[in-house]
Amino acid sequence: MKLVKSLVLGSAAAFVMTAGAQAADLPGAEPVDYVKVCDIKGSTGFFYIPGTETCLQIGGFARLETTYGEVTNDDDANKVGYRVRARVWFDARTDTEYGALRTFIRLQFQRETGAVGTAGSANPQFEGDDFFYDQAFVQFAGLTAGVTDSFWDFKPYPTFQNPFISDRTVPVLAYTAKFGDASASLSLEDKTYRYRDSTNATPNAGTEAPDIVANIRVKQGWGEAQISGVASYINPKKGYADQVGGIATGVGGDNEWGWGVQGGVKLNLPTANTSDAKGDFIWGQAGYVDGAGLSYVGLGDANVGSGRTQNITAFNPQRDYYLDGDTQKTKAFNANLGALHYWSPQWRSALQGTYVDVNYRKLNADWSAWSVAGNLIWTPVKKLDIGAELVYVNTDYSNRASFPANASRKDDDAFIGRLRVQRDF
């Protein structure tokens, strides 16, 4: 037995010595930081993807919204609506000799109250950003290519609901040149994401040219400002009996260019009631379009409720142009003014007023509307918001003879209440 034990111990010792000699031939392993923080100016939450030089940020939120209101004569219409929305985004950036190479993807999933008599729906809206993903773009050396915010839009908006403000994600091919704190952008944008009528049909015969959008923007310590413009090519169907609000308005029309211009400013205000980079501000915007599309002044998807309730565009005509032998371009103007104030690090509120005026020129169909929205938001812990908002909408259809469908509205005004619970990460 002693002989066997000696042989076993001797064999084990020889194996260890041999393994040690082989290990000595291997290069020494360096300690590895599998999660290493990226230092990106103005941003937090980035880390290196292991084995690469690419920095990645992951974020998102989960949100519940429910609204109550009554704006139509239909007693069977939804007066209460629910919408649950989830977002997850991935922001990847790599330094190159040309500057940062960025890829951004934002996924979005949604369940909401369905139309009257139907089950809840996760159905996407063609012109909106309500399903699966609403942003996916690449940025490199001033180039932006993909689906992102329109270069026409000017954010941020202080309230939950903004019924007469453009807020669209669209496919774009754009270039931005920076000059210190200022920038200038030129963007070719997909017009089919904007040009819809009240039945969600495309009024244009075909897209012959993208919308041409340009802006000049400046951002400094005092705030930011932007001037943007758009040119849009109109290609009406020859011999097509155009309709507005169910009324035929004629046939024929020439190709035309529509246009629009918008200006906005945000002023940061001093505050001692917030512990992070956020703070009080005043925000204002005004825009005008002549045939460029009513969505540029926030019409076409102006739902002031959640879950397919209180859609104010269901009782006003949405037409970017109409035909009466000539192409008659619709004119529209909007203006908005809002403010956000932190009462304490846990409490903030916002107030915003908005106005829109639509002119169909020769057609007896002009209308205008205005709204006021106010909210109060409680943040008991960081990145958890529990808030309530009340919206009042007033419409003026004094020239509504051409649109009997507008009789479906409940009154010339309405109140809509909204409750939101949102957790960001």
Side-chain angles (χ1 to χ4, degrees), residues 322-335:
Y322 64 95
L323 309 176
D324 65 353
D326 294 323
T327 301
Q328 300 294 341
K329 297 183 294 183
T330 304
K331 296 180 179 181
F333 168 80
N334 75 340

Side-chain angles (χ1 to χ4, degrees), residues 361-383:
R361 294 186 176 177
K362 297 180 181 178
L363 203 61
N364 184 25
D366 298 350
W367 64 277
S368 63
W370 60 274
S371 73
V372 176
N375 62 36
L376 180 63
I377 304 169
W378 178 42
T379 306
V381 296
K382 190 175 182 179
K383 295 190 175 182

Side-chain angles (χ1 to χ4, degrees), residues 344-367:
S344 72
Q346 290 77 36
W347 291 92
R348 70 183 187 273
S349 58
L351 181 67
Q352 179 168 302
T354 182
Y355 174 80
V356 67
D357 183 272
V358 181
N359 180 357
Y360 284 90
R361 294 186 176 177
K362 297 180 181 178
L363 203 61
N364 184 25
D366 298 350
W367 64 277

Side-chain angles (χ1 to χ4, degrees), residues 235-398:
N235 175 33
K237 295 179 179 178
K238 303 297 183 183
Y240 170 64
D242 191 21
Q243 293 188 348
V244 181
I247 305 300
T249 60
V251 298
D254 296 327
N255 295 358
E256 297 278 357
W257 279 94
W259 61 275
V261 64
Q262 176 180 261
V265 63
K266 174 194 172 188
L267 299 176
N268 296 327
L269 302 178
T271 178
N273 293 321
T274 177
S275 58
D276 56 22
K278 298 178 181 178
D280 296 3
F281 67 82
I282 296 176
W283 171 89
Q285 169 274 338
Y288 175 83
V289 294
D290 185 348
L294 294 178
S295 75
Y296 283 100
V297 291
L299 301 178
D301 59 353
N303 194 319
V304 294
S306 297
R308 301 189 182 189
T309 63
Q310 287 41 274
N311 194 321
I312 61 173
T313 60
F315 58 89
N316 61 56
Q318 299 300 318
R319 208 57 162 171
D320 303 321
Y321 67 89
Y322 64 95
L323 309 176
D324 65 353
D326 294 323
T327 301
Q328 300 294 341
K329 297 183 294 183
T330 304
K331 296 180 179 181
F333 168 80
N334 75 340
N336 300 274
L337 182 63
L340 176 71
H341 175 62
Y342 279 82
W343 302 99
S344 72
Q346 290 77 36
W347 291 92
R348 70 183 187 273
S349 58
L351 181 67
Q352 179 168 302
T354 182
Y355 174 80
V356 67
D357 183 272
V358 181
N359 180 357
Y360 284 90
R361 294 186 176 177
K362 297 180 181 178
L363 203 61
N364 184 25
D366 298 350
W367 64 277
S368 63
W370 60 274
S371 73
V372 176
N375 62 36
L376 180 63
I377 304 169
W378 178 42
T379 306
V381 296
K382 190 175 182 179
K383 295 190 175 182
L384 173 63
D385 288 342
I386 302 173
E389 184 170 279
L390 183 64
V391 181
Y392 172 77
V393 181
N394 185 289
T395 57
D396 180 3
Y397 284 97
S398 56

